[in-house]
Amino acid sequence: MTMIHIPVNSRVRLDEAVYKVTCHTETGELNLTCCQTGKPLLISTREMVEKIIDGEASIEQQVPETMLKLKGQIEKRFDAFNERDKAVARERLSYVEKVDEHLAESNLTTAINDVIQSAVTGGISLPPSFTAIWRWYDAWIKGGRNITALLPRHHAKGRRPTCLCNRSFEILQEVIEDHYLIRTPKTKLSVFKLFKGRLVKENKLHPEAGRMHIPSSRSIYRFLAGLDPYEVMAAQKGRKEADKVFAPVGLGLVARFPLHIVEVDHHFIDLTLSSQVGDVIGKPWLTLAVDVYSRMPVGLYISFEAPSYVSVMHCLKNAILPKEQYLERVLEQFKAQSATVLDAKFSSDWPCFGLMDTLVLDNGLEFHSQDLQDSCSQLGVSLEYNPARKPHYKGVVERFFGTLNTKLIHTLPGTTFSNPRQRGDYPSEKAACLTIEDLEFLLTKFIVDDHALTIHSELDQLPLKKWQAGVQKHPVRFISDQQDLSVLLFKVNLRKLTRAGIKIMGLSYQSDAVQMLRQRLMKNGSGKKVNPNVRVKFDPEDLSTIFVEDPHAKVFLPVTCIYETYALQLSIWRHRIIRKAMLKQKLDLRKSSEDEFLEVRQSLFEVAEDLIKSRQKRKRKAANRVSSEERKAGNENGPLPASDESSEDDNDDFMPDTEFTSPFQSPEELDEELKRRGWRSSRAGRQSRDGGEADA
């Protein structure tokens, strides 16, 4: 069967509904979102092609973006205009067609000048100006070489002054289009002087009885004031700016139940934070997910690092999982600071969690990550990207950021406010005294104890009550195993599975379970056994455990790092820094022991503690990240020392040189042995979108 490619963001009409293509899956399926209801739909490309061929579906043809400003005019038939306008369009067409012919041998500027010179040579005393012909040609090309694009734009010119005859009115229109409805417009006085100069010049060619009346400047000013304000601003400042002032504000996305539509966005918080010892660090980023139905935030993530896939992953994980453990952790971190004197507690719960139906995202690179698209496909979550330069498409989360600034951020010590004028001479860095732990507590408390219990103007009720009433009628979907969720949100890499296990960033991961998997996946070709490639998922923030996919059993097997103490809650970012430091010390990374890795990790922690006081903000941020990650891992004084056991114990995890043979011939037998030995296997990816088991 002939296959076609349906690009992302294409609109497809199917079963009397219009869908938007949000992404393509690895298995060749289309992830669609209904434009009317927001409901997701997963359909194979082959099935879609069959429906198109049978007439049950169609791909809608979209008008190119460059034609949008001419859309209202081009849709009208040429015959619908009066004879005077059609004559003007035909005259303009004669010029642009000549320009198009000259373009075969020269550039646009030369072609237009040649056409004007030919017109003068042909006896036309006042040919159109260079700007006018250029504008006509541009409109003609953008309008698909349609003569309708050359019709006069009377809808943007207001009423005709009674003191002007037909010819003088045409001259006024040309002056306005050439000098007023452009990105660098002339003043109204200049427009009048140019118009008057054109009339005087043309009157010299006619006897006194046939000369045109020259109106007063007030008449021209009144005429300019009567022009369509939207068209004037669109011509002078662009349609984007005009839409901000004149475009109607609709309801935006309409959600029918909790987690039907969730908007996610990043926000650079207007607040300067410090370290626990009082040194200024800088401003943090907030990644937030807000439920459109109830206006309740459902997930968040705060970090000094710029937005990335990691921040999106943490925000989604926080949104999907119940919040009890999160609230406890936030309280513990806040109370653990020596400077805290408040009686920290939350007066209300945060009951918002579950799998959303549709995620509305902007066009940042982190949101177009293939890892994110694959993870959401497995979770049954549809992705919807808002149109470029349309921030109001995510109006709910944008409005929450504004509320957050007004009610919380701009009231805290160290705030930088939204702009320098509002900030005035307030010393933000000198007043900075809050840590990132303080901010996370205050932000969480604002959500659960303030925003949730304040009547929302659009809902006309409490967001928390709206959520609770909604989930009673439409229970949310949720994932029961936190490990399954973590695996689904992890990054994916393809790695070789050898007798030494799997290597990621120089770290070795080994277990009997993956060697059993290797034995089953190995292929014997030409007498040579080839190590298989396997899909590996891992948390960029914790390299202690990775998950290896068994493609036949649809199981992800957890495999720990052989340097278990070193890799504990170790991020890729920190591991890279440690590796660079070891290379500078001319250490052989392949032969270094865990003690050597831990020693360098400890030294970097000590250096970070000193660099937190650096004058350079970049160094302070990096140092604070190293320090805070170590503390979150429970290492108040730096990395934990290696165990007293000899390094030979770690090396015992490697398979011996003798060939490994597996007695297990089926996935079921492998699962039974895994359970007997106490290994836990995550079944992430086995669940289909409707909750049933996928075929193995």
Side-chain angles (χ1 to χ4, degrees):
M1 177 181 292
T2 302
M3 301 299 292
I4 61 174
H5 174 68
I6 304 179
V8 174
N9 293 328
S10 298
R11 294 187 182 272
V12 179
R13 185 172 294 276
L14 176 66
D15 298 332
E16 303 302 322
V18 178
Y19 292 83
K20 182 179 179 181
V21 180
T22 54
C23 67
H24 299 83
T25 66
E26 289 184 346
T27 55
E29 296 174 307
L30 297 174
N31 200 334
L32 308 179
T33 300
C34 182
C35 297
Q36 288 82 13
T37 64
K39 184 178 180 180
L41 175 65
L42 198 65
I43 184 173
S44 67
T45 306
R46 180 175 293 275
E47 184 179 355
M48 177 59 71
V49 172
E50 291 175 351
K51 288 183 177 294
I52 292 174
I53 294 176
D54 295 337
E56 299 176 5
S58 62
I59 302 175
E60 290 194 346
Q61 299 295 327
Q62 295 185 350
V63 179
E65 187 175 351
T66 56
M67 294 174 59
L68 291 180
K69 64 180 181 181
L70 301 170
K71 182 178 179 182
Q73 196 173 31
I74 292 177
E75 286 178 347
K76 298 179 182 179
R77 292 172 54 248
F78 184 71
D79 295 339
F81 292 85
N82 58 48
E83 290 300 326
R84 185 182 64 184
D85 290 343
K86 289 192 288 186
V88 172
R90 293 189 186 103
E91 181 183 2
R92 293 176 177 179
L93 180 64
S94 65
Y95 283 102
V96 298
E97 286 181 338
K98 292 176 182 177
V99 170
D100 203 49
E101 293 175 2
H102 282 73
L103 278 177
E105 302 176 355
S106 60
N107 57 35
L108 182 59
T109 301
T110 305
I112 294 176
N113 288 327
D114 290 344
V115 170
I116 294 175
Q117 185 61 38
S118 299
V120 173
T121 305
I124 300 177
S125 57
L126 289 174
S129 65
F130 176 91
T131 305
I133 297 178
W134 183 91
R135 177 168 39 78
W136 298 342
Y137 185 79
D138 182 62
W140 184 58
I141 293 298
K142 289 179 179 178
R145 298 175 181 267
N146 191 327
I147 190 175
T148 314
L150 298 175
L151 287 162
R153 299 169 64 241
H154 293 310
H155 62 283
K157 296 169 185 170
R159 299 167 58 186
R160 170 179 171 176
T162 56
C163 60
L164 298 182
C165 63
N166 291 341
R167 177 55 185 160
S168 60
F169 184 55
E170 290 178 1
I171 294 175
L172 177 60
Q173 291 175 344
E174 292 179 3
V175 172
I176 290 175
E177 290 185 356
D178 292 345
H179 302 284
Y180 190 68
L181 297 179
I182 58 176
R183 286 301 183 95
T184 55
K186 301 287 187 181
T187 64
K188 293 182 179 180
L189 177 60
S190 298
V191 171
F192 170 71
K193 289 181 178 179
L194 289 169
F195 170 58
K196 182 179 178 180
R198 287 280 302 273
L199 291 183
V200 171
K201 185 176 181 180
E202 189 156 335
N203 279 342
K204 292 180 180 180
L205 303 176
H206 302 282
E208 185 174 352
R211 292 177 181 175
M212 294 175 286
H213 170 70
I214 299 178
S216 66
S217 59
R218 286 187 178 183
S219 300
I220 304 304
Y221 291 169
R222 284 196 299 268
F223 180 76
L224 294 176
L227 297 178
D228 186 336
Y230 175 83
E231 293 295 337
V232 172
M233 182 172 286
Q236 295 179 352
K237 297 183 179 181
R239 294 196 173 268
K240 178 183 176 183
E241 294 299 321
D243 288 338
K244 290 181 180 179
V245 178
F246 296 100
V249 179
L251 294 176
L253 297 173
V254 179
R256 295 182 286 108
F257 49 82
L259 298 182
H260 177 201
I261 300 174
V262 172
E263 296 179 1
V264 180
D265 203 358
H266 308 292
H267 181 58
F268 198 36
I269 298 181
D270 301 328
L271 183 67
T272 303
L273 299 180
S274 64
S275 66
Q276 294 187 11
V277 295
D279 299 304
V280 175
I281 300 299
K283 294 173 22 175
W285 282 92
L286 167 65
T287 303
L288 189 72
V290 180
D291 173 48
V292 174
Y293 177 81
S294 65
R295 302 303 198 268
M296 276 294 295
V298 294
L300 61 86
Y301 178 68
I302 305 175
S303 172
F304 285 112
E305 306 306 313
S308 65
Y309 170 76
V310 174
S311 55
V312 177
M313 178 194 70
H314 280 288
C315 179
L316 290 182
K317 187 175 179 180
N318 181 251
I320 295 171
L321 292 177
K323 304 294 191 295
E324 285 79 6
Q325 293 183 2
Y326 170 78
L327 294 177
E328 292 176 1
R329 179 180 66 81
V330 170
L331 278 177
E332 289 176 0
Q333 290 181 355
F334 181 71
K335 292 179 179 179
Q337 300 177 104
S338 57
T340 300
V341 295
L342 297 176
D343 181 19
K345 63 178 181 180
F346 297 113
S347 302
S348 305
D349 295 326
W350 193 0
C352 307
F353 70 93
L355 290 169
M356 58 287 300
D357 278 22
T358 302
L359 272 180
V360 179
L361 314 165
D362 63 23
N363 287 283
L365 293 177
E366 68 277 9
F367 290 130
H368 285 276
S369 162
Q370 188 63 49
D371 292 321
L372 176 62
Q373 294 179 5
D374 291 343
S375 298
C376 289
S377 296
Q378 295 177 73
L379 290 170
V381 177
S382 175
L383 297 180
E384 177 80 13
Y385 295 99
N386 67 302
R389 300 181 180 180
K390 302 284 185 180
H392 59 272
Y393 195 78
K394 299 195 309 326
V396 172
V397 66
E398 296 287 350
R399 177 175 177 178
F400 182 85
F401 287 146
T403 303
L404 178 66
N405 284 337
T406 303
K407 289 189 173 183
L408 179 66
I409 301 301
H410 294 171
T411 66
L412 298 175
T415 179
T416 60
F417 296 97
S418 297
N419 55 69
R421 179 176 298 178
Q422 187 180 6
R423 178 178 176 179
D425 59 355
Y426 178 73
S428 299
E429 292 200 357
K430 290 183 179 179
C433 61
L434 298 177
T435 65
I436 195 169
E437 290 81 10
D438 295 331
L439 176 61
E440 190 169 15
F441 168 75
L442 293 173
L443 177 56
T444 306
K445 187 171 180 62
F446 171 78
I447 291 173
V448 301
D449 291 344
D450 187 324
H451 177 78
L453 303 178
T454 302
I455 294 180
H456 195 280
S457 59
E458 292 186 11
L459 301 177
D460 198 24
Q461 62 176 306
L462 304 180
L464 182 60
K465 294 295 183 183
K466 180 75 171 179
W467 171 274
Q468 292 172 340
V471 295
Q472 289 179 359
K473 299 178 182 178
H474 195 289
V476 299
R477 299 183 298 136
F478 65 93
I479 191 166
S480 58
D481 193 333
Q482 180 173 342
Q483 188 183 44
D484 283 354
L485 175 62
S486 298
V487 171
L488 285 172
L489 293 177
F490 286 167
K491 294 182 72 66
V492 182
N493 281 83
L494 205 62
R495 288 288 188 270
K496 285 283 186 184
L497 177 54
T498 67
R499 285 189 299 171
I502 293 174
K503 283 188 176 292
I504 293 181
M505 293 289 296
L507 295 177
S508 296
Y509 296 81
Q510 181 66 290
S511 73
D512 289 346
V514 295
Q515 288 304 319
M516 287 186 249
L517 174 64
R518 172 176 173 265
Q519 179 67 23
R520 291 173 44 235
L521 297 179
M522 286 183 67
K523 296 179 180 179
N524 191 352
S526 303
K528 182 180 179 181
K529 295 183 178 180
V530 181
N531 290 319
N533 289 319
V534 291
R535 290 206 319 161
V536 176
K537 289 198 171 192
F538 61 92
D539 185 354
E541 299 295 290
D542 187 357
L543 295 178
S544 59
T545 303
I546 65 172
F547 294 83
V548 182
E549 182 189 37
D550 181 345
H552 301 302
K554 302 297 182 184
V555 171
F556 280 93
L557 305 173
V559 187
T560 57
C561 180
I562 63 170
Y563 291 166
E564 188 172 355
T565 304
Y566 167 74
L568 178 64
Q569 295 193 17
L570 178 74
S571 67
I572 286 184
W573 178 80
R574 255 189 312 156
H575 181 54
R576 285 198 179 111
I577 293 177
I578 293 171
R579 283 167 57 91
K580 288 181 180 179
M582 296 180 71
L583 290 174
K584 287 183 178 180
Q585 298 178 23
K586 297 183 179 180
L587 295 175
D588 190 341
L589 298 178
R590 293 174 297 179
K591 298 180 180 179
S592 297
S593 65
E594 183 175 15
D595 288 331
E596 290 175 308
F597 275 94
L598 281 168
E599 183 178 350
V600 176
R601 179 175 170 180
Q602 170 65 28
S603 64
L604 287 177
F605 173 76
E606 294 171 354
V607 171
E609 291 289 281
D610 295 333
L611 279 178
I612 288 179
K613 300 180 181 180
S614 172
R615 293 184 179 180
Q616 297 184 25
K617 186 179 293 185
R618 179 181 59 82
K619 290 184 178 180
R620 291 202 306 269
K621 281 189 175 183
N624 182 74
R625 180 175 179 181
V626 171
S627 178
S628 61
E629 286 186 5
E630 290 289 359
R631 296 182 190 282
K632 285 183 180 180
N635 310 335
E636 293 298 328
N637 299 315
L640 297 174
S643 61
D644 294 335
E645 299 177 4
S646 63
S647 58
E648 285 76 15
D649 293 336
D650 290 331
N651 293 332
D652 287 342
D653 287 339
F654 284 100
M655 295 303 298
D657 292 338
T658 57
E659 192 64 33
F660 184 89
T661 57
S662 173
F664 308 107
Q665 303 299 323
S666 68
E668 291 74 21
E669 292 181 8
L670 176 60
D671 280 352
E672 289 288 332
E673 184 62 14
L674 288 173
K675 293 178 181 178
R676 189 183 69 79
R677 299 190 184 189
W679 291 322
R680 184 185 181 192
S681 62
S682 170
R683 297 182 177 274
R686 174 173 285 189
Q687 299 296 321
S688 63
R689 295 181 61 220
D690 59 0
E693 278 202 350
D695 295 334

